[in-house]
Amino acid sequence: MSAETIVPTPEEFRRAARGWLAEVAAPRDTSTRWGSGSDAVAVFENWTEEEEHRYTDATRDWERLRYDSGWGALAFDPAVGGRSLPTHYEYLYRMEEADFDVPQRTEIFPVTCQLIAPAIAAWGIPEQTARWLPKLLRSDELTCQLFSETEAGSDLAAVRTRAVRESDGWRLDGHKVWTSGARVSTWGLAVCRTDPDAAKHAGITAFMVRMDAPGVTVRPIRQMTGGESFNEVYLEGVHVPDTDRLGPVGEGWRVTQTVLAAERLDSGSLGIDNALRAVDLAGHQPDLDAARRAAAADLAVRTLVQRALGLRVMATLSAGGQPGPEASVGKLVATRTLRETSDLVADLLGPRLVADDGSWGSWAWTEHVLGAPGYSIAGGTDEIQRTILSERVLGLPREPRR
Amino acid sequence: MPTTTTTGPVTPDIAGLQVDPGLLARGEEQVALAGMARDVLSGSAGQGWAELAALGLVGLLIPEEAGGSGGDARDLAVVMEAAGATLSDAPLLSGAFAVAVLAGLPDAADLLPGIADGSLRATLALPQHSSVTLEGDRVTGSAGPVLDPDADLVLLVATDTAGTPVLVCCAGDADGITRTGLTVLDPTRPLVRLDLTDVPARILAREADLDPALAIGSIALAAESVGITDHALRETVAYVTGRQQFGRPIGSFQAVKHRLADLLVELEAARSAVALAAACAVGAPELLPVTAAAAQLTAGNAAALAVKEYVQLHGGIGFTWEHPAHRYVRRVRASAGLFGSAHEIRLQIADLLGLPGGNSHVR
């Protein structure tokens, strides 16, 4: 038949998704009572390389089943295994999936499917989209972001990793940091300087680099939680064929902007689950004084507001519009939720956060408290987010640039 | 101190929030309503109540068969946002409280057409600000501050001889009522004190549950705060873009632009909270009380920050009488004083969520 697809109504779609999920997954066990079951609240994973591989493989099995059954890659073209459904159908699907016991995606899965795959769809030539997208969207080949460097964080356009033309491709030399999922990724999307003489934002080009290529070395970085969920990546004389260049030479800055815009949109629901758990923790105290009742109520309100922001984004997308300021503010709202969650639980737990007394749902919060600051830095610092909001949404004059 | 396992999760179930996203979006009709309300309310001062009523801005929540617009809380929020942005002195907020109370009462149906056409202007004496007793069909006591000193009809909660709260109404100019105009912080919202002695009253409902109506009122107030925040942000952005110091627009300084970015975050949070509460009023009534209080809190906080930055980022001119900023400062301070401070609303939400430690004041 023709490539014309009929878009189901949201209700039809959700019903069908639920039907499929009921066939392949068990309902989430909602009988777990406060005080039993997992009390994990880590916001950055804390695991060994072996654990990271094991967990990633389990999630990958689920993502493959989903893709093969026509419930992955919903917004993508049928040619790469998608259904050309509107963007927000992915969220509709997730609302249904939340009721089932399926592996929770770790960061590298949304990075691959929600951040990098759309950038490949937008910037790749047909040969590249055909070669990469089915494997990425099926999670066969995960892809990390090789963006930040020690001297190029918030000022990403200052990247110094060099890509120099050689024979049939490019030779890459440089040092990337803060790379989540580098140990389990097949590819890394690297932002490199190809023209040192061009203006800062002009001389940049993006490449898909095989993480097993000779000259690529991955070293975990131990973060303040004590765990290792991101890495530094050394690129030393790495050969990249020109067919693995994403987007035109000198257009790498715009490629990264595609990725970063998706990252801002994707971060809006961050922290809600833990905030609700912290409110529950308050609800399970024998007694609360007025200040703590007020603080818990405040956090409960934040979870409502954050979800309301998400619902507005979804409503805009479903009406065929582009999300406005309500999407851009999501990350700042989320990082504040994370901080206020830390403050509330620290106040409620007192000594139980200082020394592990073995009680359920107490010491586990150290992972949240020590992990939360990371999100005010990762994916564009809070300060950069404010600059973006003030310049791009409010239209305020730009900082003088040198 | 071990955690107990005896109490259940917080109620109502805010974790299980499920609302149709479409209820949070503004449809074409609401966009048109917003434009119309803004045009009318920003017009020259003194637009008549009858004119507002004729345009459908008074009877939004009144069914069409009673002469109203047959709208819902979402329409009310649209109009109140325009009222806040323009700092209208029309008593739309007190009217909204009164209509929200009356619209749910079968026995008050005869009052609705007059309210909808503007011939009967009603206000609600907030229960927390009144102390009135009912004997037979007469009320005695005092109420105030009450919004809209010139209202034709005053709704009151009076306590009968058995101690039951009873919703009554009486004519604003009834025999036995003394109305004392008050000197007020916010001149755009005049207030009155009512002293009542043996005033004839009509009984509307015994043991009436006003909470849903008060929640609608909270949404109206919160929407007004969104309008104020939006106005203050727009005006301030325009000012700092044009104002030059040190040879550049002050809006190019990060110290200034980051403050305005934070205000934008608060504005969008407030908009979202109001949209959620209005959506719950339509599609998830069990969550109406908590989401309405959440809207009042979030929008009140946004407006408090907005007027602070409105003055500060205008520098000296923002502190003058001639600049409108202080009128917005007055409105925001007055609203918090009348309808509850942030701390009070947080404690109210804690009660609604069933958090431990309620009903005890000093620890």
Side-chain angles (χ1 to χ4, degrees), chain A residues 8-249:
Chain A
T9 67
E11 294 73 31
E12 288 167 358
F13 174 83
R14 288 180 65 166
R15 208 169 28 245
R18 203 170 186 82
W20 176 73
L21 283 159
E23 285 172 24
V24 295
R28 186 181 297 283
D29 182 8
T30 51
S31 69
T32 41
R33 282 271 164 260
W34 183 260
S36 66
S38 169
D39 64 353
V41 285
V43 291
F44 279 100
E45 289 96 15
N46 180 10
W47 46 31
T48 64
E49 182 163 4
E50 191 268 327
E51 287 168 333
E52 183 173 8
H53 276 287
R54 184 150 40 85
Y55 202 93
T56 303
D57 288 344
T59 308
R60 191 185 342 238
D61 287 344
W62 169 248
E63 292 298 315
R64 280 178 178 156
L65 175 65
R66 198 184 145 206
Y67 177 89
D68 292 344
S69 308
W71 294 99
L74 296 168
F76 287 82
D77 196 84
V80 295
R83 291 168 62 179
S84 290
L85 290 171
T87 319
H88 67 286
Y89 276 59
E90 177 71 23
Y91 296 91
L92 297 178
Y93 169 81
R94 284 196 216 166
M95 282 165 80
E96 296 305 319
E97 199 193 70
D99 290 339
F100 290 87
D101 185 21
V102 301
Q104 295 301 295
R105 287 178 198 86
T106 54
E107 202 183 343
I108 193 64
F109 290 90
V111 165
T112 300
C113 299
Q114 262 84 55
L115 271 50
I116 292 179
I120 288 174
W123 289 94
I125 58 173
E127 183 273 335
Q128 291 176 324
T129 56
R131 176 159 60 101
W132 281 325
L133 283 179
K135 288 179 181 161
L136 261 61
L137 294 169
R138 194 172 181 264
S139 301
D140 289 338
E141 295 184 345
L142 298 170
T143 307
C144 58
Q145 287 166 275
L146 297 172
F147 282 23
S148 295
E149 301 178 4
T150 53
E151 302 303 319
S154 294
D155 186 9
L156 183 59
V159 286
R160 298 195 296 192
T161 293
R162 294 277 302 274
V164 179
R165 276 195 192 271
E166 62 175 22
S167 58
D168 63 336
W170 302 78
R171 178 191 158 96
L172 271 56
D173 285 279
H175 177 205
K176 295 287 181 179
V177 287
W178 320 132
T179 307
S180 300
R183 295 190 294 202
V184 293
S185 291
T186 303
W187 298 94
L189 180 62
V191 185
C192 305
R193 182 155 304 286
T194 42
D195 184 352
D197 300 324
K200 190 169 158 188
H201 292 73
I204 294 173
T205 306
F207 297 92
M208 287 283 277
V209 180
R210 281 200 73 93
M211 295 301 286
D212 58 1
V216 177
T217 309
V218 176
R219 278 205 216 135
I221 298 172
R222 194 168 190 202
Q223 68 229 15
M224 67 182 262
T225 57
E228 293 168 352
S229 65
F230 40 64
N231 307 275
E232 55 184 334
V233 177
Y234 289 89
L235 303 168
E236 291 163 312
V238 178
H239 176 77
V240 175
D242 193 53
T243 49
D244 289 351
R245 167 172 50 79
L246 182 63
V249 174

Side-chain angles (χ1 to χ4, degrees), chain A residues 11 14 33-35 92 95-96 99 276 279-298 300-305 307-309 311-312 314-316 318 325-326 329 332-333 336 348-349 352 357 359-362 382-387 389-391 393-400, chain B residues 1-10 14-22 24-25 233 237 240-241 248-249 251-262 264-273 275-276 290-291 293-295 297-298 301 343 345-347 349-351 353-361 363:
Chain A
E11 294 73 31
R14 288 180 65 166
R33 282 271 164 260
W34 183 260
L92 297 178
M95 282 165 80
E96 296 305 319
D99 290 339
L276 285 167
V279 174
D280 247 1
L281 177 68
H284 284 88
Q285 301 304 303
D287 203 2
L288 289 178
D289 61 17
R292 291 182 173 109
R293 301 185 86 225
D298 212 42
V301 168
R302 294 196 64 81
T303 71
L304 288 169
V305 167
R307 282 174 290 169
L309 276 162
L311 289 166
R312 283 178 65 210
M314 211 193 292
T316 308
S318 66
E326 70 272 20
V329 304
L332 279 174
V333 173
R336 185 158 163 202
L348 293 174
L349 292 170
R352 287 178 287 161
D357 68 355
S359 64
W360 185 92
S362 300
D382 285 355
E383 289 68 30
I384 284 292
Q385 302 295 342
R386 289 188 177 97
T387 298
L389 288 182
S390 53
E391 293 183 357
V393 181
L394 295 176
L396 287 169
R398 299 173 74 87
E399 290 280 315
Chain B
M1 187 172 66
T3 47
T4 62
T5 53
T6 48
T7 46
V10 292
I14 58 165
L17 174 76
Q18 284 261 22
V19 181
D20 174 7
L24 279 82
L233 178 59
V237 164
V240 302
T241 303
R248 51 192 266 213
S252 69
F253 288 100
Q254 207 168 62
V256 171
K257 69 211 300 185
H258 281 195
R259 291 169 72 146
L260 291 171
D262 283 338
L264 174 67
V265 171
E266 295 296 313
L267 171 62
E268 289 302 324
R271 265 191 213 296
S272 302
L276 178 65
V290 72
T291 53
L297 176 66
T298 308
N301 284 344
H343 183 67
I345 300 163
R346 287 189 186 104
L347 293 183
I349 293 166
D351 287 342
L353 294 175
L355 292 172
N359 306 320
S360 46
H361 300 288
R363 282 165 200 283

Side-chain angles (χ1 to χ4, degrees), chain B residues 69-168:
Chain B
S69 314
D72 58 41
R74 296 173 301 166
D75 305 301
L76 178 62
V78 164
V79 171
M80 288 309 300
E81 186 178 327
T86 56
L87 210 68
S88 168
D89 59 5
L92 286 164
L93 183 67
S94 51
F97 269 100
V99 169
V101 168
L102 294 173
L105 295 176
D107 290 351
D110 61 299
L111 297 170
L112 296 180
I115 292 176
D117 71 20
S119 60
L120 188 65
R121 206 161 96 191
T123 189
L124 169 71
L126 292 172
Q128 65 267 37
H129 297 154
S130 58
S131 170
V132 180
T133 55
L134 173 72
E135 276 196 58
D137 59 357
R138 293 190 173 250
V139 286
T140 297
S142 63
V146 176
L147 282 81
D148 192 5
D150 300 322
D152 306 304
L153 188 72
V154 182
L155 306 179
L156 290 153
V157 176
T159 310
D160 71 8
T161 47
T164 309
V166 181
L167 179 70
V168 304

